[in-house]
Structures are given as C-alpha cells and as structure tokens.
Amino acid sequence: MTLAAHEQHALVDRLMSACGGSYPPEIRRRFFISGPQWAAAYRGQALFHAPTREPVEPSDVIRHFSEIGIGWWTSHDTDIISPGELMTGKQDEILDSIATSLKQYGLQCSMVTGETFFSPVWAGSPAGEQPEVRAYAARRLENVVGIAHKLGARFVVYWPGTLGYQFQGIVDETVMLKRYADLINAACEKDLSLAHTRGTSTMRHCLEAKPFEPQAELILPTTDAMLGFIGSGLLKYPEMVGVNTEYLHELMWGGAPRAALARALVAGKLWHIDINDGYRLKHDVDLGVGLINPLDWLNVLVLLRAHGYSGPFNLDYKPARTTSNYGVFKVSFPTAVDRFITLWEIAGEVMTDPIINEATRALETGGGVADVNNPDAVFEGNKELWTLHELISHRLFQILLGQHRGRTFVDVKP
Ligand code: GCO
Ligand code: MN
Ligand code: MN
C-alpha cells in the first residue's frame, strides 16, 4: 500500500514508538549532552549535494532540543549572526533573543565556536600572510569569546578550518603556527579581560583538529598535533587551552579514537568531545554516534567513565540528507542521544562485569615467574593468561548484544 506524503509522519511516529527503548527527557537531561545549532539546522548540502531540508531558526532548534531533553546548546558565531551583522548592535539584539529562548526553554549555552572556514576571507587561511586577514581573524575570535561570556558558556572551541594549504612550499609552516598562536593568544587575553571585568571565570579554550578537509594539507591535523602545539611554547596561556577531540576526525586519519582520547586525558587536556561516527580513511561524513562503530564507542565510553571525564558530549554530526525536517527532531536527535545513553549504560556493565574483572585481575597479577631475567620462563609462565585477551574481547561483544543478560541465540535454525 502506498503512503501519501501526509500519511508518512504517522508511519515514522508509529515505527519510532515501536522501536521502544527511548529515554524520557528528564533522563536525557542528566547527561552533559549538547546539541549544535549547525547540526540541527544543517540542510543536507555539500559539494555534490543540493539541500534537502528547509532552514530552521535558532529558537525552533532550542525548543525542539528542550522537548527532546538536550540540556545544552552550542553554536558557531555565524550560525546565528550573519557575517555582516557580527560585531554590530544587531549582534547584541540577536544574542538577547537567543538568551531569551534559552531561558524560556530551560537550556544553557555550553559552548560557542568561531567560523574560520566558510567565508571567502579565509581562502588563504585565518593565519595567512596578510596582516589584515589576521587582524580580522583575531577580532572574530575575540568576538567569539565575547559571545560566549554573554551567553554564559564555559567552553570555546576553535576548529581552525583552512589552517593549511593547497600547494606545497607556499607557506612557512613555522610562521603559520606562530601566527595561529597569536590568534589564540588574543582570544585568551580577551577572555582574561572580560572575566576580570565581569567577575566571572575564564573559559576553557579547546582546539579541534581535522586531518584533511577543507584544505589539502592542514598543519594541525590531529589531536596529538594540537597537544604538541599547546606545549610548543608559542601559546602565552597554555593552561587556558585544551582540546576538543572529535571521534570521527581521529578515525579519518586511521587513528584509534580511544587512544587519541587517552593521550589527551593523560595530558590533562581532554576538556570537550564531539561525538559522531563514520569510517576510517574517508571524508568527514559526521554520522550519528554509534551507527557505524558501536563496539568501539562502547570501549571509548568505558575509558571515559573509568577516568571520570566530566566535560560535554557535543552531538557534532549531520542528520542524514535523506532525513526530513520532521525527521531531524523526531528521529535523528532523539535516537542519537538514546544510543549514546544506552552505550554509556552498557559501559557501566562492562566495568562491573565479573568475567572481565576476573580476567583483568588475573592478567594484572601475572603468572608469578620468579626468574624475571629469563624470557622463556616468563613467556611459559604467562602464556595461558594471554588467551584472556581474546576472551575479554568476546565478552565485550556479548555485553554489547545483551548476551550477558540472558539474551541467547542457541536455537540455531540452519
Ligand atoms: C567538522 C568540524 C566542525 C567543528 C565546528 C566547531 O566536522 O567539520 O568538526 O563541525 O566541530 O566547526 O568548531
Ligand atoms: Mn567537530
Ligand atoms: Mn567532523
């Protein structure tokens, strides 16, 4: 039976409710999950794609997030203020109306970020040769900090966008790094002065890397590169600067996101995380969290829970181009939030699983070989223990599928 367009909402609603397993908004709000304005308002456009959705106003995004139970809202400066209106009186008006919507719907702004990739002015990067481009970039980042203070955010994110080049040998990378550091320094200084005047605390300034796109070569392509940059001596206030690691961006270069997060954790710099999913060594598809790599996501959340990560989880994904405006808030956002919470809960089960715990303890205790200078004896004395690596991995698979709770597939019907 064909379904006319006006009957299709009802089908989506019925199948969503048939899926079950959704959390009420009060539970969703307990998590530090933030919803980006740009993700909700993304219209499905790309280099080879015309838009498939209508624009959505910030106040509508905020209202929908509130209904879903997403307690925090994030935005680029230009998601809400057109470039010509930035740093004008109109900006203040817009921010006042956003603040009113946030208050009305019970949301908070957790993070503001600056657009340094879309405007033609960034064609040669925000830290290029021309002093006027860099001066404008500095004003934009300072303005982002101002917006963040005004909206009560605690985090500012910088994804440098076009910080790189298309052609080899046209820039001196060390100079570009120094110039980029000057921009971050200007933003930190603005923050220090605003915090001082307003009697509030300073922001957490978080650098986000992406390995490729939108330039051919980027000079800060990974979270590790960002950590190196923070410790390079180029930043005046390195203690104010940490990272925003995006799951997919670490996968894109072939890295293990969990290991990248771990390196940021041990550096004490993992302050913000963009949650999404996608494929290794492909472009930035920004799919919903857990749809492609649920087992890896489970393990990521085990690591973060085990180390008490308490920063935001920012839903930096793009609702699929095939999802309608209705579907964005009816299906895409609530299911992304619910997969995250489910994986979070399952991570708790992994952490208390008696089999994994006993296996891990046995591995940590070791075989008790007395002669540690004898590698053959050490190997022989431990070799049965190492089988537990594969057993733990199998157990993680079982826990992901709920087999540890009695879900069985033993009635095999060949
Ligand atoms: C991407 C980037 C962006 C940034 C955003 C915040 O996927 O293209 O991750 O979404 O997170 O610009 O600075
Ligand atoms: Mn991101
Ligand atoms: Mn991305």
Side-chain angles (χ1 to χ4, degrees):
M1 193 180 74
T2 54
L3 272 185
H6 70 278
E7 297 165 317
Q8 294 169 12
H9 278 184
L11 174 71
V12 169
D13 290 352
R14 185 164 55 74
L15 294 183
M16 261 301 280
S17 110
C19 280
S22 70
Y23 299 92
E26 314 80 79
I27 301 278
R28 292 173 179 156
R29 264 189 281 272
R30 283 189 202 155
F31 291 82
F32 197 169
I33 295 175
S34 57
Q37 172 64 29
W38 69 88
Y42 169 60
R43 298 183 56 200
Q45 77 282 2
L47 191 53
F48 298 105
H49 296 323
T52 58
R53 288 188 289 264
E54 298 303 315
V56 194
E57 289 300 314
S59 57
D60 287 327
V61 171
I62 292 167
R63 175 173 52 83
H64 283 298
F65 283 173
S66 167
E67 283 161 10
I68 292 167
I70 296 171
W72 281 267
W73 174 86
T74 61
S75 186
H76 291 95
D77 48 1
T78 52
D79 296 336
I80 47 174
I81 306 155
S82 70
E85 291 170 342
L86 285 166
M87 302 177 263
T88 66
K90 183 73 186 160
Q91 165 170 310
D92 292 326
E93 262 175 53
I94 294 171
L95 293 179
D96 286 341
S97 94
I98 299 262
T100 305
S101 294
L102 289 169
K103 199 157 177 243
Q104 178 182 353
Y105 293 109
L107 265 79
Q108 291 177 61
C109 171
S110 58
M111 180 274 272
V112 181
T113 179
E115 174 273 307
T116 51
F117 44 90
F118 190 74
S119 162
V121 74
W122 315 128
S125 107
E129 300 93 336
Q130 301 77 19
E132 58 268 43
V133 171
R134 302 199 302 275
Y136 177 66
R139 292 197 59 208
R140 282 286 297 275
L141 296 196
E142 288 163 359
N143 188 54
V144 164
V145 171
I147 297 173
H149 270 279
K150 186 153 177 159
L151 294 179
R154 285 157 46 200
F155 299 87
V156 181
V157 163
Y158 308 98
W159 171 52
T162 54
L163 190 73
Y165 46 83
Q166 305 289 11
F167 306 105
Q168 293 168 10
I170 56 165
V171 296
D172 177 332
E173 287 84 347
T174 65
V175 173
M176 193 181 251
L177 287 169
K178 165 85 182 58
R179 288 173 171 168
Y180 188 58
D182 291 343
L183 300 179
I184 302 297
N185 292 339
C188 288
E189 256 152 28
K190 179 75 182 184
D191 186 15
L192 284 164
S193 112
L194 280 175
H196 181 74
T197 328
R198 301 165 66 102
T200 52
S201 46
T202 54
M203 307 276 152
R204 295 201 133 188
H205 298 252
C206 307
L207 305 177
E208 176 180 349
K210 173 150 72 164
F212 35 89
E213 208 185 72
Q215 296 287 56
E217 300 289 356
L218 296 173
I219 62 170
L220 289 169
T222 62
T223 290
D224 298 304
M226 289 301 186
L227 292 173
F229 178 65
I230 294 168
S232 67
L234 293 176
L235 292 181
K236 275 200 207 158
Y237 311 97
E239 69 291 346
M240 293 173 71
V241 184
V243 295
N244 171 41
T245 299
E246 178 172 313
Y247 177 88
L248 179 57
H249 294 176
E250 301 304 321
L251 210 57
M252 280 169 72
W253 63 267
R258 182 167 129 140
L261 291 162
R263 295 189 290 271
L265 269 175
V266 297
K269 292 296 192 184
L270 185 63
W271 296 350
H272 201 281
I273 303 179
D274 277 355
I275 63 173
N276 58 12
D277 214 335
Y279 302 94
R280 267 203 164 83
L281 303 173
K282 306 257 182 184
H283 69 102
D284 197 17
V285 288
D286 287 330
L287 301 174
V289 57
L291 288 179
I292 311 299
N293 297 292
L295 183 60
D296 192 45
W297 257 109
L298 172 61
N299 287 317
V300 162
L301 294 183
V302 170
L303 179 89
L304 296 176
R305 286 191 66 160
H307 293 277
Y309 170 79
S310 61
F313 292 99
N314 187 43
L315 291 160
D316 187 14
Y317 77 110
K318 294 192 172 63
R321 192 170 176 245
T322 43
T323 297
S324 71
N325 275 82
Y326 180 74
V328 165
F329 297 109
K330 184 70 198 180
V331 176
S332 190
F333 272 95
T335 59
V337 171
D338 288 349
R339 285 191 304 279
F340 175 83
I341 299 176
T342 301
L343 287 164
W344 180 270
E345 291 300 302
I346 303 175
E349 296 190 333
V350 168
M351 293 165 78
T352 55
D353 183 65
I355 296 172
I356 292 185
N357 283 339
E358 188 174 341
T360 305
R361 266 196 316 274
L363 280 158
E364 296 283 350
T365 309
V369 177
D371 184 2
V372 296
N373 292 322
N374 180 346
D376 292 338
V378 171
F379 173 72
E380 284 300 324
N382 281 282
K383 73 176 183 197
E384 299 305 333
L385 281 178
W386 284 321
T387 301
L388 296 175
H389 284 175
E390 199 161 343
L391 189 148
I392 291 172
S393 180
H394 170 68
R395 185 66 179 160
L396 288 165
F397 170 89
Q398 284 194 318
I399 294 174
L400 181 66
L401 298 190
Q403 291 177 298
H404 64 308
R405 285 169 169 263
R407 184 178 181 210
T408 54
F409 293 90
V410 289
D411 291 332
V412 181
K413 295 178 189 68

